[in-house]
Amino acid sequence: MEIQVSFDEIKQLLKELAISQQETDRKFKETDLQFKETELQLKETDRKLNKMIHQFESQWGKFVESLVSGNLISLLRSKGIDVHDTSQRRTGIHNGQQFEFDIIAKNGNEIVIVEVKSNLNIKAIKEFIDELRHAKEWLDEYAAYNIYGAVAYLHASEESPKFAERNGLFVIRATGKGAVITNAENFVPALW
């Protein structure tokens, strides 16, 4: 059985195939445009979500700061550091290096710099220790002072309070009624 196809039939088939290809291309372009629009919407949603998370963490951090700062003077006095006042969120730039200290408790010759974290971890402690090494340089009005460090937290990874204490930092746990220092009785703070 032999099939015969005329030139006109082949021409018509090719024309239909071309139209079908154009339709397929059009649909691909529409789909591509929809993917791009969806991607833009996802990026915008991600940006908004990150902003909301940052705002929440910032407010949560301020809450923890308020729990700690409320009785920080009495806590430090109980450990032999007779501070008289506190200030919060000391920021600055020194030689292009931006810094921020959450709470500073002070008297005439000592300061305690407190890093406040809602979730304390070892990485944050290492970063804070590095900042403490620069404290006399960054806060030149305290260059002659004895500088101590402290970390305050609401929640901590399992090893981070012990790591902080081993590195000479006061460890302050925020509680529903304020804060408590959790260092061992024989703890001796490091000078920075």
Side-chain angles (χ1 to χ4, degrees), residues 101 115 117 121-134 138 163:
F101 294 118
E115 176 73 7
K117 294 289 184 190
N121 59 54
I122 291 175
K123 180 180 180 251
I125 295 167
K126 288 179 179 180
E127 290 171 357
F128 178 57
I129 289 171
D130 187 50
E131 291 170 354
L132 284 172
R133 290 184 178 118
H134 295 284
W138 294 346
F163 179 79

Side-chain angles (χ1 to χ4, degrees), residues 16-81:
E16 290 172 9
L17 186 59
I19 291 171
S20 176
Q21 182 63 41
Q22 287 173 351
E23 181 65 19
T24 301
D25 288 347
R26 187 186 61 74
K27 287 182 180 181
F28 274 131
K29 285 179 184 175
E30 286 177 9
T31 303
D32 189 49
L33 184 61
Q34 288 174 346
F35 277 133
K36 287 180 181 176
E37 289 173 359
T38 301
E39 183 179 2
L40 287 173
Q41 289 172 346
L42 287 173
K43 283 181 181 179
E44 180 62 16
T45 301
D46 189 47
R47 186 190 66 74
K48 287 178 181 177
L49 183 60
N50 284 335
K51 183 178 178 182
M52 288 171 55
I53 289 170
H54 178 71
Q55 288 173 338
F56 175 77
E57 287 175 347
S58 176
Q59 293 304 315
W60 194 246
K62 288 177 185 175
F63 171 70
V64 177
E65 271 183 33
S66 68
L67 287 175
V68 171
S69 66
N71 63 341
L72 183 61
I73 291 173
S74 62
L75 287 173
L76 293 172
R77 284 182 176 176
S78 75
K79 297 300 181 183
I81 300 177

Side-chain angles (χ1 to χ4, degrees), residues 175-188:
T175 66
K177 296 179 181 178
V180 294
I181 293 179
T182 64
N183 296 82
E185 286 296 320
N186 62 349
F187 170 72
V188 178

